[in-house]
Structures are given as structure tokens and as C-alpha cells.
Amino acid sequence: IRVILGHIKMNVLNGISLFVILGIGVDDAFVFIDTYKQLGHLHNPEQRLKKTFQIAGKATLFTSATTSVAYSANIFSKIPAVSNFGYCMSFLVITCYIIVTLLMPAVLSLWTALGIEKKEKSTDCDSALIPLL
């Protein structure tokens, strides 16, 4: 990051950014997976993947953009550590969005091709609770 942006110095706040960005990335992945599951009625894999990216891609784009803008507000802080944190997180949020968007088509395609989706339905928590009701 320091090489790319030039003036960012690593500090404690930037160390915390690793855990924050992992949470954001996992959340974006969950949005894609959940949308893909909800579109299970579409039997054509290409159509299902395309519709997933129309819905989840738009949602994660807007959340990532607003999160990045919110973190970039810290850039104007007079405290150098907070300002560096703003630069770092803004860059990481945008990078995370790009990485998730590039990787999810392959992951979802593999998930369907390997039959993991069908195996997962049989261990769904809702189906386990039905006998209890």
C-alpha cells in the first residue's frame, strides 16, 4: 500500500484495517451467495449468474462506494494516524470490491458444478427445525 499511495505509514489503526476489510469482504461474498441461492429457480447457470451480478453487484457496489467515501472523510483529520487510516481503508474497500467481483463468478460456478449447493440444502437449519415444530 505504501508503495502505491506513497505517503501512507503503517500504524496501529492500519493494522486494525486488516480485520475490518476481512469483514467487509466476507459480507460482500455473503450477499453474492445469498442472491445466487435465492435465484435457484433459474435453471440456466449463465442466466442465474448474470442475474446474481445484476442484483448483488449493484448492492455491493453502492455499499462499497459509500463505505469508501465514509472512510475517506478521515483523510482530512489533523491527526496523521487517522488520516493514514482513511487513505488505507478507502483504498482497501475499493480493492476488496474489485477482488470479490472478480472471484465470485468462478466460485459460484464451481459451487454449482461440484454439486455443493445440493449437498448444502440437505443440511439446512430450517429443515432440521421442522420436526421440532
Side-chain angles (χ1 to χ4, degrees), residues 38-69:
Q38 289 177 9
L39 294 172
H41 63 279
L42 299 174
H43 298 294
N44 181 354
E46 284 183 32
Q47 184 182 20
R48 187 176 179 193
L49 203 55
K50 183 178 178 181
K51 190 71 173 169
T52 297
F53 276 83
Q54 287 175 346
I55 297 169
K58 189 185 302 182
T60 56
L61 173 65
F62 287 122
T63 58
S64 294
T66 56
T67 303
S68 182
V69 168

Side-chain angles (χ1 to χ4, degrees), residues 3-118:
V3 173
I4 294 170
L5 297 177
H7 62 282
I8 291 182
K9 296 178 183 170
M10 294 308 289
N11 57 39
V12 174
L13 283 178
N14 289 347
I16 293 170
S17 66
L18 170 68
F19 301 104
V20 175
I21 204 65
L22 282 173
I24 291 171
V26 167
D27 186 50
D28 285 352
F30 282 151
V31 170
F32 276 95
I33 291 168
D34 191 49
T35 304
Y36 192 74
K37 283 181 178 180
Q38 289 177 9
L39 294 172
H41 63 279
L42 299 174
H43 298 294
N44 181 354
E46 284 183 32
Q47 184 182 20
R48 187 176 179 193
L49 203 55
K50 183 178 178 181
K51 190 71 173 169
T52 297
F53 276 83
Q54 287 175 346
I55 297 169
K58 189 185 302 182
T60 56
L61 173 65
F62 287 122
T63 58
S64 294
T66 56
T67 303
S68 182
V69 168
Y71 279 119
S72 68
N74 290 325
I75 293 170
F76 302 106
S77 174
K78 297 200 187 292
I79 303 168
V82 175
S83 180
N84 283 334
F85 179 70
Y87 277 113
C88 184
M89 282 303 298
S90 295
F91 175 75
L92 287 175
V93 169
I94 293 166
T95 304
C96 181
Y97 171 76
I98 292 168
I99 289 171
V100 168
T101 304
L102 291 175
L103 288 179
M104 287 311 293
V107 171
L108 293 174
S109 295
L110 275 173
W111 192 46
T112 302
L114 296 175
I116 296 170
E117 181 180 19
K118 291 178 178 135

